[in-house]
Amino acid sequence: MTEGFTRRTPSRRGEGLALRGEILTAAAAMLTESGREGDLSLRAVAREVGISAPSVYLHFKDRAELVAAVNRQAYERLVAELREARDRAGAAGPRAALRAMAQHYCRFAVDNPGLYRLMFGIERMPLSRDELPGHPLWLLHGAWTEAVSACRATPQDPPGPGPDATGAPDPGPSGPDPNGTDPDGTGPTGPHPTGNRPTGDRPSGRLGPADDARVVRLLWFSLHGVVAMAVAMPFAADRQGLEEVADDLLDLALTK
């Protein structure tokens, strides 16, 4: 038996889900510490949990599947917390709900820097294009899209900039933007969460789902840049300052 190995009490019948959770927790801790998917060893994960290496394979076929599960769990946690923040503030209107989400996003990153780096900063093995549609970042993209669409569809919200002096939005066409792209950037099935929009004139006013997606990208990517800087700094983050920046970014994004 390897030095430092403590065998886990065997699971009783029906407790496999608990063991799977322990494996995910151990793998997340190791990934957070190393910062590299390539450094993760299934044998080391098994040793940390106190099980034999073959037991890991009962739950995950290989390292890639385990890392994907760890990553999805982190995204699911963030999405759940963002929706809770949105729901708590929802009585004050969709703009207040979106503001609560933006502020909580900043707090999540500052309170969980290791987990945030695990989601966005760890050095991972590259994915193929075929795997992109199943990536959990779409869960987060969906949560932002729901909140932004509700906010921009509310009549009492300040209108976006329009073509005339009154600031009235250009009604434009309804429905999906014909320039939208699918996840691999080749078809008109929806916006890619990281962009890939063809160049050309930008529409003004609220055009529909594709335009909402542009606002989502502007808000989410800007917030990510701010919190990534805050997490990387060698001193404590200014939480109040981060929330004020989140408010400013929200105001800017909703003018688009």
Side-chain angles (χ1 to χ4, degrees):
M1 185 178 296
T2 304
E3 183 179 355
F5 177 87
T6 302
R7 182 168 295 279
R8 177 184 184 275
T9 301
S11 298
R12 293 190 294 271
R13 187 177 183 84
E15 292 184 340
L17 191 61
L19 175 55
R20 186 178 190 276
E22 291 181 37
I23 294 171
L24 286 171
T25 298
M30 291 179 176
L31 286 168
T32 300
E33 182 178 353
S34 72
R36 292 170 52 89
E37 177 182 336
D39 291 343
L40 184 69
S41 160
L42 294 187
R43 186 175 297 277
V45 171
R47 184 167 57 248
E48 180 67 21
V49 177
I51 57 178
S52 63
S55 297
V56 177
Y57 290 98
L58 297 176
H59 299 273
F60 304 98
K61 66 180 182 181
D62 53 27
R63 179 178 62 191
E65 186 172 270
L66 175 56
V67 171
V70 169
N71 202 33
R72 174 169 288 273
Q73 186 180 66
Y75 273 96
E76 289 175 345
R77 173 184 166 184
L78 175 55
V79 168
E81 291 187 15
L82 289 178
R83 286 185 167 142
E84 288 174 5
R86 179 195 65 189
D87 293 345
R88 285 195 299 268
R95 191 181 184 109
L98 182 57
R99 187 177 302 276
M101 285 180 64
Q103 292 181 346
H104 186 82
Y105 188 89
C106 294
R107 288 194 293 270
F108 178 93
V110 171
D111 291 341
N112 306 278
L115 186 62
Y116 194 82
R117 282 191 291 267
L118 176 60
M119 296 166 66
F120 295 103
I122 189 172
E123 184 178 330
R124 293 191 181 90
M125 303 301 183
L127 295 174
S128 70
R129 279 291 189 177
D130 293 340
E131 295 175 286
L132 181 57
H135 194 281
L137 66 83
W138 285 101
L139 302 175
L140 187 51
H141 183 270
W144 285 122
T145 300
E146 291 169 7
V148 165
S149 297
C151 189
R152 300 182 75 238
T154 303
Q156 64 266 28
D157 285 341
D164 60 21
T166 65
D170 180 355
S174 60
D177 184 341
N179 288 329
T181 57
D182 65 13
D184 66 6
T186 60
T189 59
H192 188 296
T194 59
N196 284 1
R197 178 184 176 142
T199 58
D201 293 338
R202 286 191 178 277
S204 60
R206 187 182 189 283
L207 299 184
D211 204 48
D212 287 346
R214 183 162 59 91
V215 175
V216 167
R217 291 195 297 271
L218 178 60
L219 177 60
W220 177 16
F221 296 176
S222 298
L223 285 172
H224 172 70
V226 169
V227 298
M229 286 291 294
V231 170
M233 291 295 101
F235 42 79
D238 177 0
R239 293 170 180 271
Q240 181 177 347
L242 278 177
E243 292 188 5
E244 291 173 356
V245 171
D247 289 346
D248 291 341
L249 290 174
L250 176 59
D251 291 338
L252 288 171
L254 289 176
T255 64
K256 298 298 180 183

